Amino acid sequence: MRFRVWHLMVFLAALLLGYALTLALTKEASSYAATASSTFETEVFSPVIPDLPKAPEYEAPPEPMIKDKADLGIKLQTIGEGFHGDQVVAKNGETWLGFYRDAGRFYLRNTKVRVRWAYDPIVDGEEGGKISGKSVFVKNNDRALFIVKNAKRLNEGNVKTVFYGGIRYDLENQPEAIRLKNGFRKTFEFAGDIYVLKVENKLTSDEYLDKGSKLSLERNGKEQVLRYLPDGCNDCGWTLYWAGDLDQDGKLDFFFDLSDHYNVSDERLYLSSYAPAGQLVKLAADFWTNGC
């Protein structure tokens, strides 16, 4: 009996010792876990990544600042038959200043304008009905390249001319090709100055006008852009009709067709006497017509 009691006491003592040891180990493990959790929460890995250098932004070349409409109040009209009636600016019986060609001589002279109703096949439909077109004539026997009104700096008299390429109403007398295409370059010498008229396009090697085509005029190293096509054109063509000293200031003036559409005529007169500071010429007058 005594032996059994002894064994029971030993068993109970061992059980209590094991329980105490287990409790101590559990408490220590809990404390370590809490410490580790706190460490991981406060010491988050956050590497510092430097900003990458920004790629340079593409900058398109600036478009030339060009005023494409005349604003001087000067009227321009070309001579011919069958204009759309609403596009004719001259009125019958008015006095305009005509620019004439007689053989090799060019001159300005006041003239009476005759405007007559004419059949317009595009607008009027079948012949014999209502007519809405107009034809414009002048009384002088010589052929007028164009007529102007309200041009106070132009006077009657002979006009020095360095280039004449014909006009669309004088096709039988055109002395040379006058189309201005990419790569065109022509030099004029006048009153001791050297002028260069050129057409460039850095976007294409094709000769036909398109997006990026630029017409510019140079004189003694100073350059002015006269026409620029930022968005291209519809099979357009540019033409140089005439160059000379129309306003008699000793500097060259120019008469072009600078259309942006194959079915449009955009005739423009550039005069040097109206040029603002830093420029060679100014768009003094324009006359716009279309076909269909």
Side-chain angles (χ1 to χ4, degrees):
M1 184 70 179
R2 177 184 287 178
F3 179 76
R4 290 180 178 177
V5 172
W6 170 252
H7 278 77
L8 181 59
M9 291 177 64
V10 171
F11 173 75
L12 291 175
L15 182 63
L16 290 173
L17 181 61
Y19 175 74
L21 183 61
T22 301
L23 186 63
L25 290 174
T26 302
K27 188 173 182 180
E28 183 177 352
S30 298
S31 176
Y32 174 78
T35 302
S37 176
S38 175
T39 301
F40 289 139
E41 288 178 359
T42 56
E43 297 182 4
V44 178
F45 177 68
S46 181
V48 178
I49 303 176
D51 293 335
L52 295 175
K54 293 183 178 180
E57 295 183 359
Y58 171 73
E59 294 185 2
E63 296 180 3
M65 298 298 294
I66 308 172
K67 196 156 190 174
D68 270 344
K69 288 297 179 183
D71 58 2
L72 297 176
I74 300 175
K75 295 180 181 181
L76 173 69
Q77 173 78 56
T78 50
I79 307 303
E81 301 181 27
F83 293 104
H84 295 317
D86 60 350
Q87 296 173 354
V88 172
V89 295
K91 295 181 180 180
N92 187 52
E94 290 183 330
T95 298
W96 286 52
L97 186 62
F99 181 42
Y100 293 92
R101 174 177 180 263
D102 176 21
R105 185 172 71 99
F106 295 83
Y107 63 95
L108 288 167
R109 178 180 295 172
N110 288 322
T111 184
K112 289 286 186 181
V113 178
R114 293 181 294 167
V115 179
R116 298 288 184 264
W117 291 107
Y119 171 67
D120 185 340
I122 303 301
V123 177
D124 297 338
E126 296 184 3
E127 291 191 56
K130 180 182 178 181
I131 58 175
S132 64
K134 292 181 181 179
S135 297
V136 181
F137 308 95
V138 290
K139 288 188 175 181
N140 300 51
N141 293 328
D142 295 336
R143 191 61 183 265
L145 281 68
F146 56 80
I147 55 177
V148 292
K149 192 172 181 61
N150 303 329
K152 297 180 180 179
R153 298 184 184 180
L154 302 184
N155 300 292
E156 290 186 295
N158 291 334
V159 174
K160 294 180 180 178
T161 295
V162 298
F163 175 81
Y164 173 68
I167 57 174
R168 60 189 175 119
Y169 303 112
D170 192 20
L171 299 180
E172 68 275 13
N173 293 318
Q174 292 198 38
E176 60 180 276
I178 54 176
R179 301 289 274 181
L180 309 181
K181 299 179 180 180
N182 293 332
F184 171 87
R185 182 184 180 92
K186 190 170 183 64
T187 301
F188 308 96
E189 184 174 356
F190 184 73
D193 292 325
I194 301 298
Y195 295 77
V196 178
L197 189 68
K198 59 184 179 180
V199 180
E200 299 176 301
N201 191 329
K202 296 182 179 180
L203 302 181
T204 179
S205 59
D206 196 288
E207 67 175 359
Y208 295 102
L209 302 176
D210 205 341
K211 181 178 180 179
S213 292
K214 178 178 68 173
L215 171 66
S216 60
L217 175 67
E218 293 182 7
R219 187 189 72 204
N220 301 337
K222 181 184 293 185
E223 182 177 3
Q224 178 185 347
V225 177
L226 304 181
R227 189 77 163 93
Y228 179 67
L229 297 176
D231 302 311
C233 66
N234 191 342
D235 195 22
C236 63
W238 294 343
T239 304
L240 171 63
Y241 290 138
W242 173 88
D245 188 8
L246 197 68
D247 50 19
Q248 301 180 31
D249 66 345
K251 301 174 184 177
L252 286 186
D253 309 305
F254 296 87
F255 184 49
F256 300 97
D257 185 341
L258 300 181
S259 166
D260 62 359
H261 194 284
Y262 70 90
N263 194 41
V264 168
S265 175
D266 187 3
E267 292 164 319
R268 303 182 178 195
L269 176 62
Y270 289 83
L271 298 178
S272 56
S273 60
Y274 289 96
Q279 296 190 3
L280 305 176
V281 292
K282 180 178 175 63
L283 176 57
D286 49 10
F287 180 58
W288 186 94
T289 58
N290 70 306
C292 301

